[in-house]
Amino acid sequence: MSETFDADVIIAGAGMAGATLALALKQGGLTPILIDPIVFDAQLAPTFDGRSSAVAFASFRQWRTLGLAADIEPHAQRIEQILVTDGRSPGASAGNPSPFYLRFDSAEIADRSDGEPLGYLLENRRSRAALAKAIGKAGITVLAPARVASVDFDPNCARVTLEDGRVLTAPLVVGAEGRNSVVRAAARINAIGWDYPQTGVVATVKLSRPHEGVAHEFFLPGGPFAILPLTEDRASLVWTEPTAKGQALKTARPEVFHAHLQRRFGAFLGEATVEGPVFTYPLSLQLAERLSAPRAALLGDAAHGIHPIAGQGLNLGLKGAAALAEVLVDAARLGEDIGSELVLERYARWRSFDNIMLAAATDVFVRLFSNDNPLLRLVRGAGMSAVNRIGPARRFFMHDAGGASGDLPRLLRGEAL
């Protein structure tokens, strides 16, 4: 690192993707600085983020390789099966079972995944806590609370000005600060996308019956309703409704919310008792037109924000972190300029196609499944039945959802940089 620089890489945004990138870069011998408007301690509070994330087994390997295993494994629930059903209003418990369903079982791909489950369910606050602890242990500089006010790009460096007037320089700045990325705007990278007329309602519930590591997703006319298993026989609900209904659920009295919840839930997992607050999130799609520019790269929601229907948003960010870290570390070892267009284009080529295809696929799924059109219901039902009956197709989807297909970065294979 040149003495004229404050770091090798300045990362705007210390969320899960940005923090993972910082740990990977540090492991590879580079010096990152993290900047975030919220201190780590505040991000760990139960009221900060009520969401849980499905972490693909390849992404989980990356976290293990970066030293997070002891702090995440006690809180990670293995997903052994996923049951997907095409349902009808009023909810998952209504009427006779649909003949159209998909069943994914981790045992089918155990020989290809080294016995890993289909994925892991982990509360975001647990992941953030493990990352914060690892960041501190690694001695990575974190400036928080601090906010990026502007970024200027010179031929040889990126100059980051914070709102408090401090100026930092590095060969490269990474925008990982979310959909309203200052870095992306400064690099003049446009984003395309649209809002969905839906709201995601998220809550954690305690179940009166064991979930046995099975995740359920019901495609209902208003949007998907997912019951995702957590440790201690709890579940994370991701309940998608039209915007007006979603907001009404957010403000409903506890007994009213519980009545609607049980109507959706049915009786197969017994009584569901809400634990903690109910959160609502607007749903949209946003995709950056490019992943890099001279002296700048995009990561996480700054690069791609997708609908949670496939549960792959975080995994896209973690894949991006693994790929960007590998590109930068390898380039630095060869003596290349890590902020040059030549180096950053390798990252962009590696990740752009996957980002675009997954964003397009989730958009198609939302439009195909969030309705009660008889013709579309017939088409999607036939497709689900076909995949369910074709073993190789079913195993391909499981392996792909586990993040273990394609050209994997070393960290996703469980190999250190």
Side-chain angles (χ1 to χ4, degrees):
M1 183 177 70
S2 169
E3 292 182 1
T4 61
F5 295 133
D6 296 292
D8 291 310
V9 183
I10 297 171
I11 304 170
M16 289 187 277
T20 299
L21 174 64
L23 286 170
L25 293 175
K26 186 71 173 182
Q27 184 188 83
L30 295 178
T31 302
I33 288 179
L34 280 165
I35 302 170
D36 201 274
I38 301 172
V39 296
F40 275 133
D41 287 350
Q43 296 185 36
L44 309 184
T47 54
F48 178 77
D49 187 347
R51 292 172 294 183
S52 298
S53 295
V55 182
F57 63 78
S59 298
F60 209 75
R61 286 177 191 162
Q62 174 176 214
W63 278 352
R64 283 197 188 110
T65 306
L66 294 174
L68 275 64
D71 293 306
I72 59 173
E73 288 183 343
H75 307 291
Q77 171 63 52
R78 290 170 62 98
I79 304 174
E80 302 293 359
Q81 294 182 3
I82 300 175
L83 301 179
V84 183
T85 306
D86 193 10
R88 285 186 179 275
S89 182
S93 62
N96 296 321
S98 169
F100 302 131
Y101 67 93
L102 277 169
R103 180 189 179 108
F104 299 117
D105 193 321
S106 62
E108 286 194 63
I109 59 168
D111 58 332
R112 302 170 62 185
S113 63
D114 298 323
E116 295 277 14
L118 298 173
Y120 297 83
L121 240 295
L122 197 60
E123 291 163 283
N124 286 4
R125 64 189 179 93
R126 300 293 189 183
S127 304
R128 293 177 189 276
L131 287 163
K133 183 177 177 180
I135 290 288
K137 187 176 179 180
I140 295 171
T141 298
V142 181
L143 303 181
R147 192 183 298 271
V148 175
S150 63
V151 185
D152 297 304
F153 299 100
D154 293 338
N156 298 314
C157 78
R159 184 171 287 101
V160 176
T161 302
L162 305 184
E163 286 189 344
D164 62 11
R166 284 178 289 178
V167 178
L168 304 171
T169 59
L172 172 66
V173 60
V174 175
E177 74 274 54
R179 299 190 183 208
N180 298 316
S181 171
V182 174
V183 174
R184 187 182 65 219
R188 298 183 180 179
I189 299 175
N190 294 324
I192 58 173
W194 43 83
D195 295 331
Y196 295 109
Q198 296 175 324
T199 293
V201 181
V202 177
T204 299
V205 298
K206 178 70 175 179
L207 306 175
S208 61
R209 296 179 186 172
H211 55 57
E212 298 180 341
V214 180
H216 300 266
E217 182 153 20
F218 299 90
F219 288 122
L220 306 175
F225 177 73
I227 305 170
L228 308 175
L230 291 170
T231 55
E232 302 173 345
D233 282 323
R234 296 173 301 140
S236 174
L237 304 185
V238 182
W239 183 353
T240 307
E241 288 284 4
T243 300
K245 288 185 179 180
Q247 292 302 320
L249 285 168
K250 167 68 175 176
T251 57
R253 298 191 310 274
E255 60 271 21
V256 174
F257 183 87
H258 184 263
H260 282 282
L261 169 63
Q262 284 299 144
R263 192 180 187 211
R264 284 284 186 267
F265 227 87
F268 71 102
L269 287 174
E271 186 78 9
T273 305
V274 176
E275 291 189 343
V278 175
F279 297 81
T280 59
Y281 300 94
L283 301 180
S284 63
L285 181 145
Q286 182 176 282
L287 198 62
E289 292 183 345
R290 294 178 287 137
L291 291 181
S292 67
R295 305 288 164 201
L298 301 180
L299 180 67
D301 282 357
H304 44 69
I306 63 175
H307 194 285
I309 191 170
Q312 290 296 316
L314 173 60
N315 293 304
L316 267 187
L318 296 180
K319 275 187 177 182
L324 181 56
E326 184 170 323
V327 166
L328 298 180
V329 168
D330 286 352
R333 287 171 179 167
L334 292 172
E336 296 181 280
D337 178 355
I338 62 173
S340 68
E341 287 185 83
L342 178 66
V343 170
L344 296 178
E345 183 59 28
R346 295 171 198 159
Y347 162 65
R349 285 199 307 269
W350 198 350
R351 294 303 309 146
S352 290
F353 181 76
D354 192 24
N355 292 348
I356 293 169
M357 292 305 295
L358 188 54
T362 57
D363 187 62
V364 169
F365 289 157
V366 171
R367 299 177 190 281
L368 181 62
F369 285 96
S370 296
N371 63 76
D372 203 24
N373 182 291
L375 179 60
L376 289 179
R377 182 175 286 279
L378 181 63
V379 170
R380 71 199 189 207
M384 291 171 68
S385 295
V387 172
N388 203 50
R389 292 173 181 172
I390 302 172
R394 194 171 58 249
R395 287 188 287 275
F396 169 79
F397 280 116
M398 286 189 281
H399 203 63
D400 188 61
S405 61
D407 184 12
L408 288 184
R410 293 197 293 273
L411 285 168
L412 294 182
R413 300 198 298 264
E415 301 171 9
L417 295 177

